[in-house]
Amino acid sequence: MIKQVLIGIICGAAVLTAGILIGHFGITKSSSSAPSWVTDVTKDVDESLIEKFLSEVDNIQIQENLRELTKVPHMATTKGDEQTVQLMLKRWQDPETGLDKAWREEYLVYLSFPDPKNPNKVTVVNQSDIPYAAYSPAGHPKGKLVYANQGKPSDYQLLNQKVDLRGTIAITRYGGAGRGAKAINAAPYGVIGVLVYTDPLDINDGLMSDTNETYPHSWYLPPSGVERGSFNGQYGDMLTPYLAAKDDTYRIPVENITGIPPIPIQPIGYEDAYILICALGGEAAPESWQGAFNCTYNFGGPGFKPTSAFADSDVKLDIFNSGSLKNSSNVMGVIRGSVEPDRYVIYGNHRDSWVHGAIDPSSGTSVMLELTRVLGRMVKQGKWRPRRSIIFGSWGAEEFGLIGSAEYTEQYFAKLSERTVAYINVDIAVFANATLRASGMPSVQDVIFTAAKQVAAPGLDSTSVYDNWIRYSNRTSPNNGIIPKLGFLTGAGSDYAAFVHYLGITSMDISYTYDRSKTNARIYPAYHTAYDTFEYASKFIDPGFLSHQAIARTAGNVLIRLADSLVLPLKCSDYAETLDEYLNTAVSLYENQLKDREISMEPLKHAVASFRSAAAHLDHVIRTSDLRNETPLQVRKINDQLMLLDRAFLDPLAFPDKYAYRHVIWASSSAGKATFPGLADAYANAELSNDSQDWEKVHYHLSVLSQAIEGAAQTLQDVI
Amino acid sequence: MIKQVLIGIICGAAVLTAGILIGHFGITKSSSSAPSWVTDVTKDVDESLIEKFLSEVDNIQIQENLRELTKVPHMATTKGDEQTVQLMLKRWQDPETGLDKAWREEYLVYLSFPDPKNPNKVTVVNQSDIPYAAYSPAGHPKGKLVYANQGKPSDYQLLNQKVDLRGTIAITRYGGAGRGAKAINAAPYGVIGVLVYTDPLDINDGLMSDTNETYPHSWYLPPSGVERGSFNGQYGDMLTPYLAAKDDTYRIPVENITGIPPIPIQPIGYEDAYILICALGGEAAPESWQGAFNCTYNFGGPGFKPTSAFADSDVKLDIFNSGSLKNSSNVMGVIRGSVEPDRYVIYGNHRDSWVHGAIDPSSGTSVMLELTRVLGRMVKQGKWRPRRSIIFGSWGAEEFGLIGSAEYTEQYFAKLSERTVAYINVDIAVFANATLRASGMPSVQDVIFTAAKQVAAPGLDSTSVYDNWIRYSNRTSPNNGIIPKLGFLTGAGSDYAAFVHYLGITSMDISYTYDRSKTNARIYPAYHTAYDTFEYASKFIDPGFLSHQAIARTAGNVLIRLADSLVLPLKCSDYAETLDEYLNTAVSLYENQLKDREISMEPLKHAVASFRSAAAHLDHVIRTSDLRNETPLQVRKINDQLMLLDRAFLDPLAFPDKYAYRHVIWASSSAGKATFPGLADAYANAELSNDSQDWEKVHYHLSVLSQAIEGAAQTLQDVI
């Protein structure tokens, strides 16, 4: 009986235990168990997915993309441009490898074209194709030729001391001054027309023979190559400042456009420039004005040497350009985010070219198409969906002044400002195949480094893109030791401009570029000419497309990390390091003289110190917190601090004379100092004029700057 | 045996079942159980807590707060002001009923004061105390007196047809034009000084005898009462536009200040005005210029009737005001949010008065102190911590032009813009004890209604504040039927201005106010005079302080709901309703004439339609989603859409002539039409001048407006 009881108790205990186990592990709790979303919201970037992405990026696909994209010239709003629109849409809407959604968005924008029935002419010389200077006025100026070097203000000033410039035509070489500036600087002296050409010194390392030196024998520009470009002074559609250029949008009168050439200007090839310049009379120009032609560059009599074939001929420009409103398209594509669809990582490049545009911009577009093919397939197969949304933009009419991207940011200003984590720009993906080049806000340095360390350098299997990069370009960072040198995005060189300067979105620009020990070319020699073709690119820029592949892998890696990381990979202490350097430069350049004028730099020092300490604190919080086990709102709080950091540097009133420049740290500057741009410019201006009102402007800008940096520091501090 | 087996099986089953139950319910799961934060992040507002709050708000506490606050005059930056700073700090730092943290923030601001050693004088008449017009220049103009009604442009225009105004002193009554405008409008006619007084018609329902009609016999202003005020034209410190007024901040030269009187102006009581006006010679002024004095208001000869005691005397002003830089303090206090500390609900009122300021602003401050006492105690006792952070602001120097609140928004622009859910302003809490009055963005209507329905109307136990309100002021809403009428915050009447117009933060202003069937007073009669005292307030404005209590309950209820609700109680479809009404008005007023000028209103119609449909969609999503069981990031996404809605309406370039007005829907307007302010003003201007450039400005503003509304609609649509 006792035994039976014992057995009964033991069995009962066993059954009870079994029951407890079943009850505990076998049945899902409804009330207190974790909701299914807990795992999703705390998930971090998946390194194996990045491996997979890197292995799937294919150089031959990129090559074939480029071949397809460059079949016909695709200048903005032409038939060729429309073909590329259709190509992008087809790829991004592909059921196997496309994105969640893709569509086109049109803007009615003001462009400038030559007249096909009346090709622009430069008499004395003749031209075969129709290159032109976009936004040059039409006109038929005729006058004696003079040589004005690079068309800088100082060039015309010197030239004017030698020659009466009234009624002359000036020939200038590219470089040194903005395109339009060469004409704008000329007009006050009475110059009535301008020519611009590419000197072999600046683009071809001096070489100029098309029988054995230039393309197709090398990457150098042949004598007939003409560099085109937009000769305007601000970015975005010029008739609709700050407004998206929709059909009914208010447009300023064309005559109110500022910053474009007031007199006709025309680009020519150096074969023509050679004939003209070597025939010029007058005194010899200074050494620094001399180019690669085998003759002395004279100022001009004005006009030609009496002994030359042209003797006292005039040069006549017949420019038939005209402005017109055209529909330009952006092609947009998205992959919806799974956890934070309201956070955007934007990746973009322009689609339009001047002629075939193999390198500019189709190298970048080929890379973008390969990225979207690999990512799109993972999405379509259900293998991946990013935490945050990804937006791809194929911008229109960049060549005319970053128009498509600027109009996009104007139209969606609020939404993009509120939600965009970062913008990645890959325009010319490969300038040359030597090394990575990256520019951006300092906070993106770390994620670019991480990505570059995971990608093999093209042609160097055991060296990473990062290790290769550090050999070509490096600096010593107080925080990080010797590291590759990241550039800054201080100008409006590509479609990042509106994102950086107008919206204050953390941005970067990524490419492969030159070995500067091998060339001094201003840029790859076929830039903006009819020679920028698939053949040129595949033979002389990146045979095998391995540098394209490296860019696709690096930029794609950055993209995935920005889209998938639990905590945004943006490092604010790297930003602080740059502000510190800017401050040190400013103090050493300006403090003494400002003290004499009772303008204190203490508020700026205080602001940078606040920023430094707030950034260090936030970095520390990120490093030491177990954020995967924190509430997702705690992570979101930190991510919002990181995402919105650059927005805090915006002040729409900081640069009243610079269109759409609002970022007080990165605005363009003419002072040429490695410090805060508005301060440097205001100081240079005051120093020049020594006008007390100009010194007050220095004080004003110091206050603007200090307030913005203090405000940014506030956003990094503990939130309350 | 079978029986035993059966019993065994049954027992075994029972034990197993018990085991399963114990296992399932008795033991907490560790691996897959919900993290502790899941409950917190999905918690909604607690109605029982609101009940508790309402029951604890005490009218006697408010009365004692007011008694304490009004013991001495506390004009900005005076000793009395400092006493109130100390009081606020003491209360907010109280260990039992204080906030988490409280501190003061100082700004060095430009104020204007009379000279205690040289009281301002108006000769012919004499004054006992030192009232003055802040920012009136000093000066000693002497001339013949004229009567200029309200000092509007049209008043001076008419008067100038009757009298040569050169060298005259104009006497004007309050109302009709801004304070400073009365002098600004006068100067072009050669007027050299201005007096301003309060006519008994406008403030006292015509009554003026101090022996039996005015205070202390009633709430009406006694004859010696002088209304002070700031005579400036923009808000915030005038020397540091857009910059926080810190010690080293750049300051514009005083002579560059615009919008302040160019000639001396001085306020006087109506006992003095009576003597002057009834002695004036010249032709009788029109009917609409007549006030309540028992004489005919004449234009002035200029000067007095030959038969009057003053005969051909001049009137002389001796104004000794001077500007000076003073340290003004905001007192700030916070309650940290538990779940979303990076979301702020801000509640504020100014602290400075002109004299004792019992009603303006101490009624609001008394209410704020009672709110913080009740909430602070709940926090200190560990009974409550809001989901979001609450910031309390006791602003300095409001009376001089909303200076403290404006400087605060300038200093913390980025942080406040990014994180502020709403701003609640309670300045004058009780103008009178008849009914609630509330103004704000339309999206706050719903939460104010919810709160007002839960509070008993003062003195009417079975009627809610809401039910009482709807009797006094109502309208028919297409969406909501007959509802109380919410006002809009289109001007800069109190500290909400910088939040609404400069930062685009959803704001509201709440008070108790008049029964308009009982008085036509422009405002409560003791406004800005030395009669605005505790005795006046407790005897004639709100005996028993029940209206104060109702405001504390209503505003506090709104505050708790904004801080604690899972989904922000901001209703964007109510915003859409207002935009629809604005659009309808604009179309009926402007469309035909704009069509004639080939300016299309279609983009505006499209924008409002986009907004309407996006708002309806978002409302639907909120109504139909089970958001407590969604990921907290989904809720945050919606809350961000609601929080940032007003930010999308900002355009810093929309109103180049209006300082710190950026909100395209609520900016001040002089056209007097219930529609989009910039459009209405541009249209009125173009209609007047009929200049084609002015019509272009109408087109321009239409584009600005359409783009802002489309942009706002975009932020409400599905995020990607």
Side-chain angles (χ1 to χ4, degrees), chain A residues 56 89-100 371-383:
Chain A
E56 290 190 6
L89 285 172
K90 188 172 147 238
R91 294 288 185 89
W92 287 355
Q93 291 171 345
D94 186 284
E96 316 264 294
T97 58
L99 308 175
D100 288 331
L371 277 189
T372 56
R373 182 189 69 84
V374 175
L375 297 178
R377 192 165 60 177
M378 295 198 291
V379 169
K380 295 288 183 191
Q381 291 177 341
K383 290 182 179 160

PDB file of all heavy atoms in Angstrom, chain A residues 56 89-100 371-383:
ATOM      1  N   GLU A  56      27.395  39.450 -55.285  1.00  0.00           N
ATOM      2  CA  GLU A  56      26.496  39.452 -56.453  1.00  0.00           C
ATOM      3  C   GLU A  56      26.685  40.649 -57.375  1.00  0.00           C
ATOM      4  O   GLU A  56      26.178  40.657 -58.490  1.00  0.00           O
ATOM      5  CB  GLU A  56      25.044  39.360 -55.986  1.00  0.00           C
ATOM      6  CG  GLU A  56      24.743  37.991 -55.407  1.00  0.00           C
ATOM      7  CD  GLU A  56      23.263  37.749 -55.140  1.00  0.00           C
ATOM      8  OE1 GLU A  56      22.442  38.620 -55.507  1.00  0.00           O
ATOM      9  OE2 GLU A  56      22.954  36.698 -54.563  1.00  0.00           O
ATOM     10  N   LEU A  89      12.891  52.976 -66.180  1.00  0.00           N
ATOM     11  CA  LEU A  89      11.573  52.490 -65.740  1.00  0.00           C
ATOM     12  C   LEU A  89      11.449  50.988 -65.943  1.00  0.00           C
ATOM     13  O   LEU A  89      10.946  50.264 -65.083  1.00  0.00           O
ATOM     14  CB  LEU A  89      10.462  53.225 -66.510  1.00  0.00           C
ATOM     15  CG  LEU A  89      10.203  54.661 -66.065  1.00  0.00           C
ATOM     16  CD1 LEU A  89       9.231  55.355 -67.014  1.00  0.00           C
ATOM     17  CD2 LEU A  89       9.639  54.694 -64.629  1.00  0.00           C
ATOM     18  N   LYS A  90      11.947  50.527 -67.101  1.00  0.00           N
ATOM     19  CA  LYS A  90      11.858  49.098 -67.402  1.00  0.00           C
ATOM     20  C   LYS A  90      12.648  48.310 -66.352  1.00  0.00           C
ATOM     21  O   LYS A  90      12.148  47.303 -65.814  1.00  0.00           O
ATOM     22  CB  LYS A  90      12.422  48.846 -68.804  1.00  0.00           C
ATOM     23  CG  LYS A  90      12.206  47.434 -69.295  1.00  0.00           C
ATOM     24  CD  LYS A  90      12.613  47.303 -70.761  1.00  0.00           C
ATOM     25  CE  LYS A  90      13.170  45.916 -71.019  1.00  0.00           C
ATOM     26  NZ  LYS A  90      14.527  45.906 -71.541  1.00  0.00           N
ATOM     27  N   ARG A  91      13.826  48.757 -66.052  1.00  0.00           N
ATOM     28  CA  ARG A  91      14.630  48.017 -65.081  1.00  0.00           C
ATOM     29  C   ARG A  91      13.994  48.051 -63.693  1.00  0.00           C
ATOM     30  O   ARG A  91      13.928  47.049 -62.995  1.00  0.00           O
ATOM     31  CB  ARG A  91      16.039  48.622 -64.998  1.00  0.00           C
ATOM     32  CG  ARG A  91      16.849  48.475 -66.261  1.00  0.00           C
ATOM     33  CD  ARG A  91      17.293  47.044 -66.490  1.00  0.00           C
ATOM     34  NE  ARG A  91      18.161  46.969 -67.650  1.00  0.00           N
ATOM     35  CZ  ARG A  91      19.489  47.121 -67.600  1.00  0.00           C
ATOM     36  NH1 ARG A  91      20.086  47.340 -66.442  1.00  0.00           N
ATOM     37  NH2 ARG A  91      20.216  47.055 -68.693  1.00  0.00           N
ATOM     38  N   TRP A  92      13.545  49.224 -63.291  1.00  0.00           N
ATOM     39  CA  TRP A  92      13.036  49.364 -61.916  1.00  0.00           C
ATOM     40  C   TRP A  92      11.635  48.788 -61.741  1.00  0.00           C
ATOM     41  O   TRP A  92      11.170  48.612 -60.621  1.00  0.00           O
ATOM     42  CB  TRP A  92      13.088  50.839 -61.490  1.00  0.00           C
ATOM     43  CG  TRP A  92      14.504  51.296 -61.226  1.00  0.00           C
ATOM     44  CD1 TRP A  92      15.630  50.527 -61.247  1.00  0.00           C
ATOM     45  CD2 TRP A  92      14.932  52.613 -60.882  1.00  0.00           C
ATOM     46  NE1 TRP A  92      16.736  51.285 -60.952  1.00  0.00           N
ATOM     47  CE2 TRP A  92      16.338  52.575 -60.721  1.00  0.00           C
ATOM     48  CE3 TRP A  92      14.274  53.837 -60.704  1.00  0.00           C
ATOM     49  CZ2 TRP A  92      17.091  53.693 -60.386  1.00  0.00           C
ATOM     50  CZ3 TRP A  92      15.014  54.957 -60.366  1.00  0.00           C
ATOM     51  CH2 TRP A  92      16.423  54.886 -60.211  1.00  0.00           C
ATOM     52  N   GLN A  93      10.980  48.516 -62.896  1.00  0.00           N
ATOM     53  CA  GLN A  93       9.655  47.891 -62.791  1.00  0.00           C
ATOM     54  C   GLN A  93       9.727  46.407 -63.135  1.00  0.00           C
ATOM     55  O   GLN A  93       8.701  45.738 -63.238  1.00  0.00           O
ATOM     56  CB  GLN A  93       8.671  48.617 -63.720  1.00  0.00           C
ATOM     57  CG  GLN A  93       8.354  50.030 -63.237  1.00  0.00           C
ATOM     58  CD  GLN A  93       7.567  50.872 -64.233  1.00  0.00           C
ATOM     59  OE1 GLN A  93       7.472  50.510 -65.408  1.00  0.00           O
ATOM     60  NE2 GLN A  93       7.023  51.986 -63.763  1.00  0.00           N
ATOM     61  N   ASP A  94      10.930  45.895 -63.312  1.00  0.00           N
ATOM     62  CA  ASP A  94      11.091  44.486 -63.667  1.00  0.00           C
ATOM     63  C   ASP A  94      10.535  43.604 -62.544  1.00  0.00           C
ATOM     64  O   ASP A  94      10.871  43.796 -61.376  1.00  0.00           O
ATOM     65  CB  ASP A  94      12.578  44.187 -63.884  1.00  0.00           C
ATOM     66  CG  ASP A  94      12.806  42.776 -64.394  1.00  0.00           C
ATOM     67  OD1 ASP A  94      12.705  41.821 -63.587  1.00  0.00           O
ATOM     68  OD2 ASP A  94      13.065  42.631 -65.601  1.00  0.00           O
ATOM     69  N   PRO A  95       9.695  42.618 -62.899  1.00  0.00           N
ATOM     70  CA  PRO A  95       9.088  41.785 -61.853  1.00  0.00           C
ATOM     71  C   PRO A  95      10.095  40.911 -61.093  1.00  0.00           C
ATOM     72  O   PRO A  95       9.831  40.489 -59.966  1.00  0.00           O
ATOM     73  CB  PRO A  95       8.081  40.916 -62.613  1.00  0.00           C
ATOM     74  CG  PRO A  95       8.393  41.060 -64.051  1.00  0.00           C
ATOM     75  CD  PRO A  95       9.176  42.321 -64.239  1.00  0.00           C
ATOM     76  N   GLU A  96      11.253  40.663 -61.651  1.00  0.00           N
ATOM     77  CA  GLU A  96      12.235  39.798 -60.991  1.00  0.00           C
ATOM     78  C   GLU A  96      13.313  40.585 -60.245  1.00  0.00           C
ATOM     79  O   GLU A  96      13.832  40.142 -59.229  1.00  0.00           O
ATOM     80  CB  GLU A  96      12.980  38.935 -62.038  1.00  0.00           C
ATOM     81  CG  GLU A  96      12.103  38.310 -63.089  1.00  0.00           C
ATOM     82  CD  GLU A  96      11.740  36.896 -62.715  1.00  0.00           C
ATOM     83  OE1 GLU A  96      12.660  36.067 -62.687  1.00  0.00           O
ATOM     84  OE2 GLU A  96      10.549  36.643 -62.423  1.00  0.00           O
ATOM     85  N   THR A  97      13.683  41.712 -60.808  1.00  0.00           N
ATOM     86  CA  THR A  97      14.839  42.422 -60.243  1.00  0.00           C
ATOM     87  C   THR A  97      14.537  43.912 -60.012  1.00  0.00           C
ATOM     88  O   THR A  97      15.452  44.702 -59.817  1.00  0.00           O
ATOM     89  CB  THR A  97      16.061  42.334 -61.183  1.00  0.00           C
ATOM     90  OG1 THR A  97      15.679  42.887 -62.452  1.00  0.00           O
ATOM     91  CG2 THR A  97      16.523  40.906 -61.355  1.00  0.00           C
ATOM     92  N   GLY A  98      13.261  44.257 -60.083  1.00  0.00           N
ATOM     93  CA  GLY A  98      12.920  45.678 -59.954  1.00  0.00           C
ATOM     94  C   GLY A  98      12.677  46.080 -58.503  1.00  0.00           C
ATOM     95  O   GLY A  98      12.887  45.305 -57.578  1.00  0.00           O
ATOM     96  N   LEU A  99      12.230  47.295 -58.348  1.00  0.00           N
ATOM     97  CA  LEU A  99      11.971  47.857 -57.021  1.00  0.00           C
ATOM     98  C   LEU A  99      10.487  47.690 -56.689  1.00  0.00           C
ATOM     99  O   LEU A  99       9.711  47.176 -57.494  1.00  0.00           O
ATOM    100  CB  LEU A  99      12.380  49.335 -57.020  1.00  0.00           C
ATOM    101  CG  LEU A  99      13.813  49.593 -57.528  1.00  0.00           C
ATOM    102  CD1 LEU A  99      14.087  51.090 -57.615  1.00  0.00           C
ATOM    103  CD2 LEU A  99      14.841  48.903 -56.622  1.00  0.00           C
ATOM    104  N   ASP A 100      10.093  48.123 -55.509  1.00  0.00           N
ATOM    105  CA  ASP A 100       8.679  48.030 -55.148  1.00  0.00           C
ATOM    106  C   ASP A 100       7.819  48.878 -56.078  1.00  0.00           C
ATOM    107  O   ASP A 100       6.691  48.517 -56.408  1.00  0.00           O
ATOM    108  CB  ASP A 100       8.460  48.517 -53.701  1.00  0.00           C
ATOM    109  CG  ASP A 100       8.992  47.526 -52.678  1.00  0.00           C
ATOM    110  OD1 ASP A 100       9.005  46.314 -52.973  1.00  0.00           O
ATOM    111  OD2 ASP A 100       9.398  47.960 -51.583  1.00  0.00           O
ATOM    112  N   LEU A 371      23.255  48.068 -58.662  1.00  0.00           N
ATOM    113  CA  LEU A 371      22.797  48.059 -57.267  1.00  0.00           C
ATOM    114  C   LEU A 371      21.334  47.671 -57.163  1.00  0.00           C
ATOM    115  O   LEU A 371      20.951  46.827 -56.356  1.00  0.00           O
ATOM    116  CB  LEU A 371      22.892  49.467 -56.665  1.00  0.00           C
ATOM    117  CG  LEU A 371      24.187  49.982 -56.114  1.00  0.00           C
ATOM    118  CD1 LEU A 371      23.923  51.309 -55.399  1.00  0.00           C
ATOM    119  CD2 LEU A 371      24.725  48.973 -55.114  1.00  0.00           C
ATOM    120  N   THR A 372      20.517  48.313 -57.980  1.00  0.00           N
ATOM    121  CA  THR A 372      19.080  48.064 -57.871  1.00  0.00           C
ATOM    122  C   THR A 372      18.743  46.658 -58.362  1.00  0.00           C
ATOM    123  O   THR A 372      17.802  46.044 -57.880  1.00  0.00           O
ATOM    124  CB  THR A 372      18.252  49.113 -58.634  1.00  0.00           C
ATOM    125  OG1 THR A 372      18.673  49.153 -60.003  1.00  0.00           O
ATOM    126  CG2 THR A 372      18.427  50.493 -58.015  1.00  0.00           C
ATOM    127  N   ARG A 373      19.529  46.141 -59.317  1.00  0.00           N
ATOM    128  CA  ARG A 373      19.281  44.770 -59.770  1.00  0.00           C
ATOM    129  C   ARG A 373      19.515  43.788 -58.617  1.00  0.00           C
ATOM    130  O   ARG A 373      18.664  42.939 -58.319  1.00  0.00           O
ATOM    131  CB  ARG A 373      20.211  44.404 -60.941  1.00  0.00           C
ATOM    132  CG  ARG A 373      19.983  42.997 -61.499  1.00  0.00           C
ATOM    133  CD  ARG A 373      21.067  42.597 -62.501  1.00  0.00           C
ATOM    134  NE  ARG A 373      22.378  42.384 -61.898  1.00  0.00           N
ATOM    135  CZ  ARG A 373      22.772  41.239 -61.324  1.00  0.00           C
ATOM    136  NH1 ARG A 373      21.971  40.199 -61.275  1.00  0.00           N
ATOM    137  NH2 ARG A 373      23.983  41.156 -60.790  1.00  0.00           N
ATOM    138  N   VAL A 374      20.629  43.937 -57.932  1.00  0.00           N
ATOM    139  CA  VAL A 374      20.967  42.991 -56.858  1.00  0.00           C
ATOM    140  C   VAL A 374      20.003  43.147 -55.676  1.00  0.00           C
ATOM    141  O   VAL A 374      19.452  42.166 -55.172  1.00  0.00           O
ATOM    142  CB  VAL A 374      22.432  43.196 -56.402  1.00  0.00           C
ATOM    143  CG1 VAL A 374      22.750  42.302 -55.211  1.00  0.00           C
ATOM    144  CG2 VAL A 374      23.385  42.913 -57.558  1.00  0.00           C
ATOM    145  N   LEU A 375      19.772  44.397 -55.274  1.00  0.00           N
ATOM    146  CA  LEU A 375      18.878  44.618 -54.128  1.00  0.00           C
ATOM    147  C   LEU A 375      17.438  44.277 -54.495  1.00  0.00           C
ATOM    148  O   LEU A 375      16.703  43.690 -53.701  1.00  0.00           O
ATOM    149  CB  LEU A 375      18.979  46.073 -53.660  1.00  0.00           C
ATOM    150  CG  LEU A 375      20.356  46.518 -53.143  1.00  0.00           C
ATOM    151  CD1 LEU A 375      20.325  47.999 -52.767  1.00  0.00           C
ATOM    152  CD2 LEU A 375      20.776  45.674 -51.936  1.00  0.00           C
ATOM    153  N   GLY A 376      17.052  44.667 -55.715  1.00  0.00           N
ATOM    154  CA  GLY A 376      15.687  44.402 -56.170  1.00  0.00           C
ATOM    155  C   GLY A 376      15.389  42.909 -56.172  1.00  0.00           C
ATOM    156  O   GLY A 376      14.310  42.481 -55.757  1.00  0.00           O
ATOM    157  N   ARG A 377      16.342  42.115 -56.619  1.00  0.00           N
ATOM    158  CA  ARG A 377      16.109  40.675 -56.662  1.00  0.00           C
ATOM    159  C   ARG A 377      15.937  40.108 -55.248  1.00  0.00           C
ATOM    160  O   ARG A 377      15.049  39.304 -55.008  1.00  0.00           O
ATOM    161  CB  ARG A 377      17.239  39.957 -57.399  1.00  0.00           C
ATOM    162  CG  ARG A 377      16.856  38.517 -57.700  1.00  0.00           C
ATOM    163  CD  ARG A 377      17.766  37.888 -58.712  1.00  0.00           C
ATOM    164  NE  ARG A 377      19.143  37.879 -58.229  1.00  0.00           N
ATOM    165  CZ  ARG A 377      20.149  37.326 -58.899  1.00  0.00           C
ATOM    166  NH1 ARG A 377      19.931  36.768 -60.088  1.00  0.00           N
ATOM    167  NH2 ARG A 377      21.360  37.355 -58.425  1.00  0.00           N
ATOM    168  N   MET A 378      16.772  40.583 -54.327  1.00  0.00           N
ATOM    169  CA  MET A 378      16.620  40.089 -52.950  1.00  0.00           C
ATOM    170  C   MET A 378      15.233  40.432 -52.398  1.00  0.00           C
ATOM    171  O   MET A 378      14.622  39.638 -51.695  1.00  0.00           O
ATOM    172  CB  MET A 378      17.718  40.676 -52.052  1.00  0.00           C
ATOM    173  CG  MET A 378      19.118  40.204 -52.437  1.00  0.00           C
ATOM    174  SD  MET A 378      20.365  40.437 -51.121  1.00  0.00           S
ATOM    175  CE  MET A 378      20.531  42.192 -51.046  1.00  0.00           C
ATOM    176  N   VAL A 379      14.755  41.622 -52.748  1.00  0.00           N
ATOM    177  CA  VAL A 379      13.426  42.026 -52.284  1.00  0.00           C
ATOM    178  C   VAL A 379      12.350  41.175 -52.955  1.00  0.00           C
ATOM    179  O   VAL A 379      11.455  40.646 -52.293  1.00  0.00           O
ATOM    180  CB  VAL A 379      13.184  43.525 -52.567  1.00  0.00           C
ATOM    181  CG1 VAL A 379      11.722  43.891 -52.332  1.00  0.00           C
ATOM    182  CG2 VAL A 379      14.099  44.384 -51.692  1.00  0.00           C
ATOM    183  N   LYS A 380      12.466  41.032 -54.275  1.00  0.00           N
ATOM    184  CA  LYS A 380      11.437  40.270 -55.009  1.00  0.00           C
ATOM    185  C   LYS A 380      11.395  38.815 -54.557  1.00  0.00           C
ATOM    186  O   LYS A 380      10.353  38.175 -54.577  1.00  0.00           O
ATOM    187  CB  LYS A 380      11.713  40.328 -56.519  1.00  0.00           C
ATOM    188  CG  LYS A 380      11.590  41.719 -57.136  1.00  0.00           C
ATOM    189  CD  LYS A 380      10.156  42.206 -57.228  1.00  0.00           C
ATOM    190  CE  LYS A 380      10.095  43.566 -57.919  1.00  0.00           C
ATOM    191  NZ  LYS A 380       8.771  44.194 -57.806  1.00  0.00           N
ATOM    192  N   GLN A 381      12.558  38.280 -54.176  1.00  0.00           N
ATOM    193  CA  GLN A 381      12.596  36.892 -53.719  1.00  0.00           C
ATOM    194  C   GLN A 381      12.197  36.739 -52.253  1.00  0.00           C
ATOM    195  O   GLN A 381      12.203  35.635 -51.721  1.00  0.00           O
ATOM    196  CB  GLN A 381      14.020  36.324 -53.916  1.00  0.00           C
ATOM    197  CG  GLN A 381      14.401  36.149 -55.371  1.00  0.00           C
ATOM    198  CD  GLN A 381      15.839  35.647 -55.527  1.00  0.00           C
ATOM    199  OE1 GLN A 381      16.648  35.759 -54.610  1.00  0.00           O
ATOM    200  NE2 GLN A 381      16.138  35.114 -56.710  1.00  0.00           N
ATOM    201  N   GLY A 382      11.890  37.872 -51.628  1.00  0.00           N
ATOM    202  CA  GLY A 382      11.480  37.798 -50.223  1.00  0.00           C
ATOM    203  C   GLY A 382      12.630  37.538 -49.268  1.00  0.00           C
ATOM    204  O   GLY A 382      12.418  37.174 -48.113  1.00  0.00           O
ATOM    205  N   LYS A 383      13.854  37.732 -49.737  1.00  0.00           N
ATOM    206  CA  LYS A 383      15.000  37.440 -48.869  1.00  0.00           C
ATOM    207  C   LYS A 383      15.412  38.632 -48.018  1.00  0.00           C
ATOM    208  O   LYS A 383      16.212  38.494 -47.099  1.00  0.00           O
ATOM    209  CB  LYS A 383      16.203  37.017 -49.718  1.00  0.00           C
ATOM    210  CG  LYS A 383      16.010  35.659 -50.349  1.00  0.00           C
ATOM    211  CD  LYS A 383      17.235  35.232 -51.141  1.00  0.00           C
ATOM    212  CE  LYS A 383      17.017  33.859 -51.729  1.00  0.00           C
ATOM    213  NZ  LYS A 383      17.926  33.592 -52.850  1.00  0.00           N
TER     214      LYS A 383
END
